[in-house]
Amino acid sequence: MGGDGQRGGAARTGVDLGGTKIEAIVLDASGRERARRRAPTPRGDYEAGVRAIAALVEETERAAGVSPTFAGAPRPVGFGVPGSLSPATGLIRNANSTWLNGRPLAADLAAALGRPVLLENDANCLAASEAADGAARGARVAWAIILGTGVGSGIAVDGRPLRGRNAIAGEWGHMPLPGAGADEPARPCYCGRAGCVETCCSGPALAAEYVAAGGPAGATAQEVARAMRAGDPVARAVWRRYVRRLGKAMASVINVLDPDVIVLGGGISNIDELYEALPAAIRPHLFSDVFDTPLRRAMHGDSSGVRGAAWLWTPPAYADA
């Protein structure tokens, strides 16, 4: 029983809406996991997705023994989603799960659940999770990067996600790669532009460059890493180019933000050699004589997004704690 006499007390519920799966979690007030459930994402079917999310929240909270109310009011649910809510229209935009774009997702989820909804970009949730109780705990400004199927980032200040006036803070994956079209490729991006950081620094981009250079068809980013470790000269050359581009792209943000900690998430973050190679790739592009910012792997790994969604809600009794 919670201190307010209701089931679950100050427990928090979070949902991570991915392209292939929906994950829900309930955390207690200290961040310990009470229950977690997953379900496949109904790809391309928006209405079915909203229904699946509502059912998953109910199932997960039931497993955790958590009531949908707190202190006599509906308990909010946090959501991490691809893309962001337009502050002008309240509709989802910029989602690579394109069936969400142009939809009033926050309003529809609130109606389906009968409860308030707190909705943030999934990279902002990564930043919030790692700042709350992960690799960036205690940092005033944390920059969290996702290097996976896509590329994105989020910023947390004093443990809370920084959304920005236009709700685009941290949208680094769709900044132009420095030198794109000159000494770097300007590949087309799904967003309609060319030369975005995502087109050169995602896992599929690394794999595609390896295949184009003579690597085996269908190779993945992890297979590039294994070939590099085995001494494959093609893989080594492709990896060096990847790290160089990533370092340049990161430096452009570090020069503006100068974060206290940089946290890496996504599949590429599991390649150990990245942490040794990146500082040397970043330093030449910084307007500074020193670069000692820690580069850390996300402590909660693939769970950071859903945990960050849960951390979006601060229960009233804890707001000033």
Side-chain angles (χ1 to χ4, degrees):
M1 298 291 288
D4 61 345
Q6 298 179 74
R7 287 187 297 116
R12 301 166 168 87
T13 302
V15 179
D16 183 25
L17 178 55
T20 59
K21 67 171 176 62
I22 307 164
E23 184 171 17
I25 198 170
V26 175
L27 303 179
D28 70 13
S30 66
R32 288 190 296 268
E33 180 180 321
R34 295 181 59 154
R36 182 198 302 255
R37 295 290 187 274
R38 288 184 175 184
T41 299
R43 291 180 62 84
D45 191 333
Y46 176 79
E47 288 78 13
V50 172
R51 292 193 298 271
I53 291 166
L56 190 65
V57 168
E58 181 180 353
E59 176 189 344
T60 309
E61 290 187 336
R62 186 169 56 248
V66 167
S67 165
T69 62
F70 176 79
R75 188 190 301 268
V77 179
F79 286 88
V81 300
S84 61
L85 276 182
S86 166
T89 66
L91 306 179
I92 293 289
R93 63 187 179 177
N94 302 333
N96 54 11
S97 298
T98 54
W99 60 91
L100 299 176
N101 289 325
R103 298 285 196 157
L105 182 61
D108 288 344
L109 289 172
L113 293 166
R115 295 156 65 178
V117 161
L118 305 170
L119 190 147
E120 276 290 351
N121 174 264
D122 50 8
N124 287 350
C125 288
L126 167 64
S129 170
E130 294 297 324
D133 63 351
R137 186 171 190 167
R140 172 131 207 288
V141 179
W143 183 34
I145 296 173
I146 297 175
L147 298 170
T149 303
V151 171
S153 76
I155 301 162
V157 178
D158 293 330
R160 305 299 296 171
L162 177 67
R163 181 178 296 176
R165 181 183 179 93
N166 300 295
I168 56 171
E171 286 287 5
W172 167 69
H174 295 279
M175 289 173 58
L177 180 73
D183 59 333
E184 298 289 2
R187 298 169 179 148
C189 183
Y190 82 89
C191 74
R193 300 180 178 89
C196 292
V197 168
E198 180 166 305
T199 66
C200 284
C201 295
S202 67
L206 172 61
E209 183 153 350
Y210 179 53
V211 172
T220 65
Q222 295 300 326
E223 288 167 344
V224 176
R226 286 195 288 272
M228 179 242 323
R229 292 177 191 127
D232 179 349
V234 174
R236 286 187 169 186
V238 168
W239 175 252
R240 284 194 297 269
R241 287 196 295 271
Y242 175 84
V243 172
R244 186 192 72 225
R245 290 167 182 160
L246 181 59
K248 286 201 300 184
M250 289 177 63
S252 64
V253 173
I254 296 167
N255 274 329
V256 174
L257 189 63
D258 198 11
D260 296 304
V261 176
I262 300 170
V263 178
L264 304 182
I268 299 269
S269 73
N270 294 319
I271 300 176
D272 293 339
E273 290 84 352
L274 189 63
Y275 299 87
E276 181 179 351
L278 259 181
I282 292 169
R283 283 190 189 97
H285 308 286
L286 294 183
F287 194 61
S288 174
D289 62 343
V290 64
F291 175 63
D292 61 1
T293 308
L295 297 171
R296 297 174 180 163
R297 195 190 318 254
M299 181 180 295
H300 297 297
D302 292 342
S303 298
S304 279
V306 71
R307 290 179 64 88
W311 282 113
L312 293 177
W313 178 51
T314 300
Y318 294 82
D320 299 321

